[in-house]
Amino acid sequence: MPIPWKQANVVPVPKVNPPKSIASDLRPIAMTPTVSKVLESIVGSWILDQVRSQLDDHQFGALKGRSTTHALIDMLHYWHKALDEGHSVRMLFVDYEKAFDHVDHCVVIQKLKAYGVPDFITRWVTSFLAERQQRVKISDVFSQWITLRGGMPQGSWLGPLIFIILIDDLRPALLTHKYVDD
């Protein structure tokens, strides 16, 4: 994948208005070239066709037809059924903060291979993830380019799909619902 297609202008978008803290009140969104997004969606569709049947049935979000509403309905169904049968319900909610920033590219590639993703697609994803560059854009002012060493680009089409593949084998013995919301 050509380097210019892997360059992103990161625009800090406020989570709250007005933002009070740069560290916690701004979400960095990577604005990548349109041609890159189109190519991502094509490759992502190929990957999804290959892995969809292997993904956890309790993975919600970032998949077509698997929304927040679906997750809530599924959870409520199990909770009500347990209560109706005289059982108790215990819940634990875990939020992996900055999860996309801690994605190990080597693990992603190993998992794609384990899911049987064709080699040419795995090589393309390797290129997609390698030598990504970004700079911050605020109004008409730009920072210097930096080369990223890991993580997934925020706002990318492939980011949530690759993250779902990365966490798919986290399947504890207890009923677990997973939701990716980026």
Side-chain angles (χ1 to χ4, degrees), residues 4-22:
W5 291 8
K6 298 190 288 186
Q7 292 178 322
N9 289 318
V10 176
V11 179
V13 177
K15 294 180 187 178
V16 296
N17 202 1
K20 294 180 174 121
S21 166
I22 291 175

Side-chain angles (χ1 to χ4, degrees), residues 1 6 103-105 108-109 124-132 148 150-153 162:
M1 188 166 180
K6 298 190 288 186
V103 170
D104 183 318
H105 296 168
V108 167
I109 299 308
W124 184 90
V125 171
T126 301
S127 175
F128 171 79
L129 293 173
E131 300 176 20
R132 295 195 70 84
L148 304 176
M152 291 300 300
I162 288 177

Side-chain angles (χ1 to χ4, degrees), residues 39-152:
L39 189 53
E40 274 186 76
S41 69
I42 292 167
V43 173
S45 294
W46 290 344
I47 293 171
L48 192 54
D49 287 345
Q50 183 70 39
V51 304
R52 181 183 293 276
S53 64
Q54 301 173 66
L55 294 176
D56 187 348
D57 288 336
H58 290 100
Q59 170 60 60
F60 296 90
L63 291 172
K64 191 172 185 168
R66 310 285 291 172
S67 69
T68 306
T69 303
H70 293 103
L72 290 172
I73 289 170
D74 198 59
M75 286 187 279
L76 285 169
H77 167 75
Y78 283 103
W79 297 342
H80 284 273
K81 182 178 179 205
L83 294 173
D84 288 345
E85 295 172 355
H87 301 289
S88 62
V89 174
R90 293 182 181 97
M91 295 168 269
L92 171 67
F93 293 91
V94 177
D95 181 11
Y96 293 104
E97 186 176 43
K98 304 277 185 200
F100 274 35
D101 295 341
H102 298 101
V103 170
D104 183 318
H105 296 168
C106 293
V107 173
V108 167
I109 299 308
Q110 289 172 355
K111 291 213 175 185
L112 290 173
K113 289 178 181 180
Y115 277 88
V117 172
D119 190 53
F120 78 95
I121 295 175
T122 304
R123 286 195 321 269
W124 184 90
V125 171
T126 301
S127 175
F128 171 79
L129 293 173
E131 300 176 20
R132 295 195 70 84
Q133 295 180 331
Q134 69 181 29
R135 64 183 177 182
V136 177
K137 177 183 186 263
I138 299 176
S139 294
D140 293 332
V141 179
F142 295 90
S143 70
Q144 295 294 317
W145 289 107
I146 62 165
T147 301
L148 304 176
R149 301 281 178 238
M152 291 300 300

